[in-house]
Amino acid sequence: LGSASARVLAHVLMASFSTEDGVSGLLLPPPDAAADESVGIQLLERLLDLLEEEDLPGRPPSSSLKQQPYSRRLRGSSSLLSLSCSAYWGLLSAAAGCRTTDEPPLTTLLLCSGVLLDRFVDILRSGSQPMPRGSFLAFLPLVCAGLALLSSFPSTFATALLPRLMLALEALHDIVPPDADAVHAAHEAQEDFDLGAGVLLQSAHPATPACARDYRARLPGASFTWLAFDHKCGLGEPESRLEVWAEARLVHTLGVPSAPWPAAPMIVSGAEVTLRLVLPAKAKSAGWGFSCRVHAFEPCWSGQLPLSLDCEQGVAFLASRYMATLVVGDPLSPEERAHRATLDADQTRHFRPGGRAPPRSQLPAGLLQGLLEKRQRRAESRTAGLEAALRLLHGCPTAQAQEHVLGQLASSLRRMQPSGSHARGPHDSLFLGGCSGCDAALLGRLYLAVVELLAHLAALLRHEIVRPADVPQRDARMRVLAAPWLVAFGPADGAIFDEEPVEFGALLRELRQSEHPVCEQLFEHLVLGVFSSLPPSDATLPPLQSRMLQQITGEMCALASAPAERPRLPPLLCLLLSLCGLPAAARALGEPGCLAALARLTRLGRTRVACLVLRLLRLVLPTVPPHCARVLCDEATAPRRGVGCALLEAAGREAVGGAPLVAASRSRGQPEGPVCNELVGLLRHLQACGSKQWRDEMGGALHAGLSALPGLLEALAADRPPAAAHLVLGTLAALGAHVPCLYVGGPARAEGARSAVLLQEEAGSCLLASAVEGEATACLTVDAAGVAPAAPLPPSEAGLDLDVAVPQLLALLHLDASLRPLLALVHAGRLRVLRGLLTRGACAEAAAATLLHAGALPQLLELAATPLCLPPAHADVPPDELAMRAAAAVASCAAGAAWAAALPPTGASAQEKLLSLLSLGHDAPLCARALEATGGEVGAARAWLAGPDDEDEPMRPTPAAEGLAMELSRMGFSLALCREALVHSAFDIQAAADFLLSSDSGRGPRGGT
């Protein structure tokens, strides 16, 4: 190229060659030559030298040739660049069809890509080249995009090209401008397209045979046309269709069963579009027809990024793809899965590359050698990938490039997770899985790479947590940083988290202190993931899990003493409830400090908190001796009567509606409510599933309660002050007298579902979370009539002496239960216990024999014919179903749900209705007032007596109460003020009128607002 004419001739030849299809043959080696000795590689290096000379400062661009289609992004591209692009793209297309790694197109592409990346790195490091769009460096994003599209043999390309890509990214770190993140954000905010003026094309509705014609729309000056079809329309006849014509050709056929209306808008080329409705010759109707909005569509060609940022994005994307490929490595083979226990059995015998496999008696020597060599390669690949990930995170100049690396890293970790069909062993690790038995030095290097990477990820996440909330793109950044942590870790990964550089405890503290929803989700995921890796047989918690549990329980104790922070308690208690699935965690929660905090929560928390605490105690108390649980009870009562008696008294107070367990939220307990349900479940669990100490404790407490039953009945019959009433009622509830109820968050049962939990209750339907037969846990919407409350645990007779208990239950059987409310309640509970003993499997025969031996055959016959203390049964409604529906109705009303007539018309007398309410333990005047306020509806009166369940869940007015409010509003007061007056006066209309007219209310007639 010495003379000017020779240079012109060379440029003409290069421009001509660049248009040929087989131009990639210039780079391929001859059939008998090696790829690295090919003249094509020398040609590529010479072209790159000339391109560098062209881009030197002060030299004018030498391109006057027409820009080629493959390099539309390059402004003023020269014939040198055109030839280089054409040859490389042709080589890339040929390599996509290769089946082995030794085929010439693939090996040549690998060599050429390495040469290009080395040259790019040298130019970026020198800093002597400018970076306009037409320079040689504009070829770098195109090379990265092309290699990213090549899906063949990714591990081969990753091993060879990833080190060069990391060097290129580190070189770009000093070139990218300081405001790169703002430039990226502005570029992403630009619109992709613009819709211009439009028209509406539609047929008549409904369509007739006369509608079969062409509907044409012309939008002058539009490059493309945007069509959106109305999915509510349709063509009735199967042979009817709508044809879309653009630029005098048929583009689409719509409306037929195989091609319905497109879900997304359709874009066609040109400014004119024709919709042709075609109907069968004898069609009488075309359904509803069609309707389509047509607009001019113009793409918004957004401003290009600076070349340095474009290069950075391309290099970061390709490097992160290759990094993920190396991290995942080869998948586990069926032989490795089959012999996993043998390969992981002895971690001390490591394999050295090139050496013989250590002897393992169960495997043939050849198979063992091959498996260990495969594990060695996987460990080398994973180590290189994790080290590359750390290096890329340090070298990324912008947050956008870092997001590419974090996203690919999270994707690779998810791909490494074991599938659900393969059980996990105690030594499984997400990071080290499939690498056991390798060289000890390599395993140490892999372990160090994992620790360093996790430490850097934790530092990035902690830095983002403390940033101000108003930082742009903070939410998206938090999700990207949390993605690598939201994976299923293995049982052996706890030791990695416990390493000092990771600072896992500090990360958990900052996640818990943050109120960002991503941080809350990640905190729960990490805690559950670390604890779920422990085997259930462990007697004690490892140091990491022990510190985490201490941190959580410390926060629970602090929240128990801080009323303003109690809204954060339910999620924390749910987390502890999940952790207590491990016996070691449950034992750790049995310490006196934790039990004292749980006791405060039961007395001071709300209903939901109390229910969660009682479920937690169901798991914790069986792991501690009964004398250690005295902190749950009154200090003056527990030492004297025992913790079992104190728990029974608490259940009795809740069941009778007296001093409640949840004292701060309500003025009285809620009979047959959620807290009573959970209390009874706790008592039955301790009685049936606890240790021998707890069975003895609960058995003694139950006998003490039954021993007090005759004295209580005699005192009530003689109108003397009752003694031990709460203990007796709690004993009867624990032995089977408690009727479970439906409530949100409580157990339920429905047809076709098991282990169901009620999530939401609406008029006529219930939403359940259930493990359906043959499927995973899912949400079901079922008819409310088919949902019934499920008892927390079946009643148990563990530790109960039937020879002593049954005569005590038969004492004073013929007392008139309608005389006193408390007597009616005790009588109903006793009947339920006896009925349960006679219908409960193996215990039924012993109970019946005891009754007959005691000469109680008449009482036994009377018991069989005596209904429960509820509204009378009817021929079409069985007594058990009526009782269940009554309890469900009371629970729904107390929870604030609308009254839906759960009980059929009974026609019961006023005395029967009053007796039904007296069985709840309320005074007769209060029950009479409840019936008067609710119009004689027993279910509404029960809800009125139960009162609101929580401070923020007021009871809704019944229809009868609404009628009273309407009657008061005729005096000139607003309806809201009348409702308030009725609530203030316990639904006494005369007292409500006095309240409205009195000066103390502060509102005169017709002045209410």
Side-chain angles (χ1 to χ4, degrees):
L1 300 180
S3 62
S5 58
R7 287 196 297 272
V8 172
L9 177 60
H11 281 289
V12 171
L13 288 175
M14 286 188 289
S16 176
F17 274 124
S18 63
T19 61
E20 298 291 336
D21 292 337
V23 66
S24 60
L26 293 173
L27 302 179
L28 292 174
D32 55 348
D36 54 353
E37 299 176 356
S38 171
V39 179
I41 300 299
Q42 301 175 12
L43 173 62
L44 179 62
E45 291 179 346
R46 180 58 180 158
L47 290 174
L48 297 180
D49 292 338
L50 294 174
L51 282 169
E52 284 191 56
E53 295 178 4
E54 243 185 17
D55 286 343
L56 288 176
R59 182 187 292 269
S62 59
S63 171
S64 59
L65 302 175
K66 183 179 179 181
Q67 186 176 345
Q68 301 298 327
Y70 42 77
S71 58
R72 293 177 63 183
R73 297 174 67 188
L74 309 179
R75 298 177 181 175
S77 59
S78 65
S79 58
L80 289 167
L81 197 53
S82 299
L83 180 61
S84 302
C85 289
S86 297
Y88 188 79
W89 290 122
L91 191 61
L92 191 65
S93 301
C98 295
R99 297 184 178 181
T100 60
T101 57
D102 56 354
E103 295 187 34
L106 194 66
T107 55
T108 305
L109 176 64
L110 196 57
L111 289 173
C112 292
S113 300
V115 170
L116 285 170
L117 291 176
D118 289 339
R119 188 62 61 94
F120 291 141
V121 171
D122 294 339
I123 296 175
L124 291 172
R125 283 180 170 177
S126 64
S128 60
Q129 293 284 357
M131 298 191 71
R133 271 287 170 185
S135 67
F136 164 59
L137 285 176
F139 193 31
L140 176 57
L142 297 177
V143 171
C144 295
L147 290 173
L149 294 175
L150 184 65
S151 59
S152 305
F153 312 103
S155 59
T156 302
F157 280 82
T159 304
L161 301 182
L162 183 55
R164 297 181 172 95
L165 291 170
M166 289 189 292
L167 293 174
L169 195 62
E170 291 169 354
L172 283 166
H173 192 280
D174 299 330
I175 301 176
V176 170
D179 60 341
D181 288 327
V183 175
H184 276 299
H187 185 267
E188 292 293 333
Q190 295 179 0
E191 296 291 342
D192 295 332
F193 63 89
D194 181 29
L195 291 181
V199 296
L200 178 66
L201 298 181
Q202 62 179 352
S203 64
H205 303 300
T208 61
C211 298
R213 59 183 181 86
D214 290 351
Y215 300 82
R216 184 174 290 104
R218 181 173 180 81
L219 305 171
S223 303
F224 301 91
T225 306
W226 184 86
L227 298 91
F229 292 89
D230 188 353
H231 292 265
K232 298 179 181 178
C233 300
L235 305 179
E237 296 291 336
E239 299 180 1
S240 303
R241 65 183 185 274
L242 183 68
E243 299 177 351
V244 182
W245 292 75
E247 297 181 346
R249 62 186 181 89
L250 179 62
V251 179
H252 294 284
T253 301
L254 305 173
V256 296
S258 60
W261 308 124
M266 180 186 301
I267 299 174
V268 298
S269 178
E272 183 176 347
V273 65
T274 301
L275 303 181
R276 180 174 298 168
L277 182 60
V278 180
L279 301 177
K282 298 181 180 180
K284 298 181 179 180
S285 173
W288 192 250
F290 76 94
S291 178
C292 177
R293 291 185 294 116
V294 183
H295 289 268
F297 178 86
E298 294 295 336
C300 294
W301 303 107
S302 58
Q304 291 179 325
L305 285 171
L307 182 57
S308 59
L309 298 185
D310 205 359
C311 292
E312 175 230 10
Q313 290 293 295
V315 172
F317 179 75
L318 182 61
S320 59
R321 287 275 299 269
Y322 286 163
M323 175 270 300
T325 300
L326 293 181
V327 169
V328 175
D330 296 333
L332 291 176
S333 63
E335 293 80 7
E336 285 183 282
R337 297 186 187 277
H339 303 289
R340 182 185 63 176
T342 304
L343 294 172
D344 296 342
D346 190 357
Q347 301 290 342
T348 61
R349 293 182 290 182
H350 298 287
F351 172 71
R352 295 184 179 180
R356 297 182 60 183
R360 284 178 171 85
S361 58
Q362 299 181 5
L363 293 179
L367 176 61
L368 180 59
Q369 182 82 14
L371 293 179
L372 291 179
E373 288 178 354
K374 186 172 185 178
R375 289 185 165 234
Q376 183 78 13
R377 292 193 300 270
R378 184 183 295 115
E380 293 173 352
S381 173
R382 187 165 298 170
T383 303
L386 294 175
E387 291 174 347
L390 181 62
R391 188 174 170 184
L392 288 173
L393 289 174
H394 281 295
C396 285
T398 64
Q400 279 12 3
Q402 205 173 65
E403 289 177 4
H404 287 306
V405 181
L406 292 170
Q408 290 294 333
L409 178 61
S411 175
S412 65
L413 294 180
R414 286 193 294 268
R415 288 162 58 190
M416 290 163 55
Q417 295 177 146
S419 60
S421 59
H422 302 287
R424 308 187 72 173
H427 302 291
D428 282 355
S429 169
L430 176 68
F431 303 101
L432 309 179
C435 301
S436 59
C438 300
D439 183 19
L442 179 59
L443 281 178
R445 181 181 159 203
L446 175 58
Y447 188 89
L448 181 62
V450 173
V451 171
E452 292 179 350
L453 179 60
L454 290 180
H456 187 67
L457 291 175
L460 290 176
L461 188 55
R462 292 170 58 193
H463 174 72
E464 191 66 29
I465 291 174
V466 300
R467 294 179 67 190
D470 56 350
V471 174
Q473 304 295 324
R474 183 171 183 263
D475 292 345
R477 177 74 173 170
M478 287 292 297
R479 288 191 293 268
V480 172
L481 289 172
W485 297 93
L486 293 173
V487 294
F489 299 106
D493 291 328
I496 300 176
F497 293 145
D498 205 19
E499 293 289 341
E500 183 177 355
V502 180
E503 297 184 3
F504 194 65
L507 175 62
L508 289 179
R509 282 194 299 272
E510 296 189 13
L511 286 173
R512 183 59 185 167
Q513 293 171 1
S514 174
E515 298 181 356
H516 197 279
V518 174
C519 295
E520 296 176 359
Q521 177 191 1
L522 184 56
F523 174 79
E524 295 183 2
H525 173 80
L526 290 177
V527 172
L528 292 175
V530 171
F531 274 84
S532 63
S533 63
L534 296 179
S537 58
D538 285 359
T540 58
L541 292 175
L544 174 64
Q545 285 82 354
S546 180
R547 291 195 300 270
M548 294 171 63
L549 189 60
Q550 289 176 3
Q551 176 183 341
I552 297 173
T553 54
E555 182 181 358
M556 180 192 68
C557 296
L559 292 177
S561 304
E565 298 293 334
R566 284 179 193 153
R568 301 180 61 185
L569 270 172
L572 192 66
L573 292 174
C574 290
L575 181 61
L576 285 174
L577 196 61
S578 301
L579 299 184
C580 284
L582 291 172
R587 280 191 292 271
L589 279 177
E591 297 179 356
C594 296
L595 289 179
L598 293 175
R600 287 197 299 272
L601 292 177
T602 56
R603 298 189 185 97
L604 302 177
R606 299 192 175 196
T607 301
R608 184 185 177 193
V609 173
C611 291
L612 291 173
V613 170
L614 292 172
R615 293 178 192 175
L616 196 58
L617 290 176
R618 195 186 302 183
L619 299 173
V620 173
L621 288 184
T623 65
V624 299
H627 66 85
C628 295
R630 292 180 178 177
V631 294
L632 295 172
C633 310
D634 186 7
E635 295 180 0
T637 304
R640 178 167 47 89
R641 307 194 63 178
V643 66
C645 291
L647 291 175
L648 289 175
E649 288 181 353
R653 286 195 302 269
E654 188 71 27
V656 81
L661 186 70
V662 191
S665 297
R666 297 168 296 163
S667 59
R668 57 183 180 273
Q670 181 180 345
E672 299 181 356
V675 178
C676 190
N677 229 33
E678 298 295 342
L679 260 174
V680 173
L682 172 62
L683 294 171
R684 293 176 180 175
H685 185 84
L686 293 175
Q687 181 190 2
C689 307
S691 62
K692 184 179 183 303
Q693 292 177 320
W694 272 109
R695 288 196 296 270
D696 294 342
E697 175 73 20
M698 294 307 301
L702 292 173
H703 279 292
L706 290 177
S707 300
L709 177 58
L712 174 63
L713 294 175
E714 292 176 0
L716 292 175
D719 202 11
R720 295 198 307 268
H726 294 157
L727 177 62
V728 171
L729 290 172
T731 302
L732 296 178
L735 288 176
H738 175 69
V739 177
C741 66
L742 276 175
Y743 59 95
V744 175
R749 52 186 173 89
E751 185 178 358
R754 54 185 176 86
S755 304
V757 175
L758 180 63
L759 298 182
Q760 186 178 359
E761 185 178 7
E762 297 179 353
S765 64
C766 292
L767 182 63
L768 301 177
S770 171
V772 187
E773 295 293 341
E775 299 181 7
T777 302
C779 292
L780 302 174
T781 301
V782 296
D783 189 3
V787 180
L793 275 177
S796 171
E797 299 80 30
L800 192 65
D801 187 356
L802 294 178
D803 293 334
V804 177
V806 172
Q808 292 170 343
L809 290 169
L810 291 175
L812 305 176
L813 189 62
H814 299 288
L815 287 176
D816 187 0
S818 63
L819 297 178
R820 294 287 301 275
L822 187 58
L823 180 60
L825 184 60
V826 173
H827 183 65
R830 181 177 54 174
L831 293 182
R832 289 189 184 127
V833 173
L834 286 170
R835 180 171 293 181
L837 290 175
L838 292 173
T839 58
R840 206 175 299 152
C843 179
E845 184 177 351
T850 304
L851 285 169
L852 293 175
H853 185 267
L857 181 59
Q859 290 89 340
L860 183 61
L861 296 176
E862 181 182 358
L863 179 63
T866 302
L868 299 180
C869 192
L870 285 168
H874 293 267
D876 56 340
V877 182
D880 292 341
E881 181 181 349
L882 189 62
M884 178 183 64
R885 292 170 64 181
V890 173
S892 63
C893 286
W899 174 251
L903 293 176
T906 62
S909 63
Q911 182 64 22
E912 290 173 335
K913 293 179 181 180
L914 182 62
L915 175 62
S916 176
L917 296 180
L918 290 174
S919 66
L920 297 177
H922 300 289
D923 297 331
L926 185 62
C927 296
R929 183 183 298 179
L931 287 172
E932 181 182 358
T934 56
E937 297 180 9
V938 177
R942 281 175 166 241
W944 188 89
L945 289 171
D949 179 60
D950 214 335
E951 291 177 340
D952 51 359
E953 296 180 359
M955 185 180 66
R956 300 183 181 180
T958 62
E962 194 68 17
L964 295 177
M966 293 292 294
E967 185 175 350
L968 283 175
S969 64
R970 296 173 185 171
M971 300 173 61
F973 297 97
S974 66
L975 193 59
L977 187 59
C978 293
R979 293 195 189 103
E980 180 183 348
L982 284 171
V983 173
H984 184 271
S985 58
F987 292 92
D988 188 337
I989 189 169
Q990 185 60 42
D994 294 340
F995 173 80
L996 292 172
L997 296 173
S998 65
S999 59
D1000 296 339
S1001 65
R1003 305 181 182 95
R1006 310 183 191 279
T1009 57

